[in-house]
Amino acid sequence: MENRLASDPAFFCEVIRLIYRSKKRKKTDKGPSEQEKSIATNAWKLLRRWRTPPGIQLDGTISGEHFKKWLENIKVTCAESGHLEVALTHVGQVLIYSPPDPQGLWIDQTAADALNEKDAEEMRRGFYIELLNSRGAYWVDPTGKPERELAEKYRQKAEDIENAGYHRFSATLKGLADSYDREAERIIAGHGMES
């Protein structure tokens, strides 16, 4: 099913429509039926487990041509149905699982190109959210050391991506690094330690 999400834009758009109400549809007092709730729950679980970026090939690289066609198709379809923003957020979330670029960049350049586009704010937001969520459960270290390490990791990724010419995408990663620095300060202050 993950591969179908990544290769069939119509299926991806259908899954989005099963979960989210259209921005074009007026809210009604009638809620979803039990069957609709069950279908939406299963669709949500599928989307949350999705780790296969669009355009991925058997060799693990991303086909720029397939990715761009897939993305353009979902933009048109989801804009028409009133689901564009939420669809792009989910696309951004799956892009954290993009392979490294064959030329050496830590993320495939096709994914970086898409995330750097002027109109890709929702995708960048999804990417940011998924990076935060990918940390999972963790034990709070009162020294804030793990947060400092994450801040440095994302600051380095931001620098690498900026050096490759992806300034908007870089700003998102710098924002993530800054949030981990703030979290480290909050933890240290909360435990009465000095930074």
Side-chain angles (χ1 to χ4, degrees):
M1 293 300 269
E2 277 195 47
N3 287 335
R4 188 166 175 207
L5 282 172
S7 62
D8 183 351
F11 179 66
F12 171 80
C13 294
E14 179 184 349
V15 169
I16 292 291
R17 287 191 306 270
L18 289 170
I19 301 169
Y20 298 100
R21 182 178 44 236
S22 170
K23 291 179 92 175
K24 295 181 176 184
R25 193 177 108 201
K26 294 185 188 224
K27 188 173 180 174
T28 64
D29 291 334
K30 180 185 171 243
S33 69
E34 288 306 312
Q35 182 180 10
E36 289 169 328
K37 286 180 185 177
S38 177
I39 291 170
T41 298
N42 289 331
W44 172 251
K45 288 176 183 176
L46 172 62
L47 211 50
R48 284 303 307 146
R49 288 192 302 258
W50 186 29
R51 303 287 184 268
T52 306
I56 200 85
Q57 304 296 295
L58 292 176
D59 67 358
T61 61
I62 292 180
S63 163
E65 180 183 347
H66 286 109
F67 177 86
K68 289 172 189 169
K69 284 180 183 177
W70 184 94
L71 184 59
E72 187 55 39
N73 195 310
I74 70 117
K75 283 181 177 181
V76 170
T77 304
C78 290
E80 288 172 359
S81 71
H83 296 90
L84 182 59
E85 291 82 6
V86 72
L88 292 177
T89 298
H90 282 285
V91 173
Q93 289 174 335
V94 78
L95 290 181
I96 79 160
Y97 304 103
S98 295
D101 191 79
Q103 304 302 316
L105 193 59
W106 60 267
I107 187 172
D108 188 275
Q109 288 191 19
T110 299
D113 285 337
L115 288 160
N116 196 60
E117 290 293 325
K118 188 175 182 179
D119 66 349
E121 185 59 38
E122 295 298 330
M123 282 197 302
R124 288 190 293 273
R125 183 176 293 117
F127 194 89
Y128 181 102
I129 291 167
E130 191 67 11
L131 284 175
L132 283 174
N133 291 340
S134 70
R135 184 177 184 192
Y138 60 94
W139 185 263
V140 175
D141 179 342
T143 67
K145 183 180 177 195
E147 287 72 21
R148 294 275 191 224
E149 289 171 351
L150 286 167
E152 182 54 36
K153 171 185 171 180
Y154 290 118
R155 197 167 285 109
Q156 182 60 55
K157 286 181 179 278
E159 184 178 321
D160 293 345
I161 213 77
E162 186 169 24
N163 289 339
Y166 301 110
H167 302 289
R168 290 182 195 95
F169 184 22
S170 174
T172 297
L173 295 169
K174 287 177 185 176
L176 183 59
D178 292 345
S179 77
Y180 277 119
D181 278 334
R182 287 189 301 274
E183 181 67 9
E185 291 300 322
R186 186 193 65 74
I187 289 169
I188 291 166
H191 285 87
M193 302 186 83
E194 293 183 20
S195 55

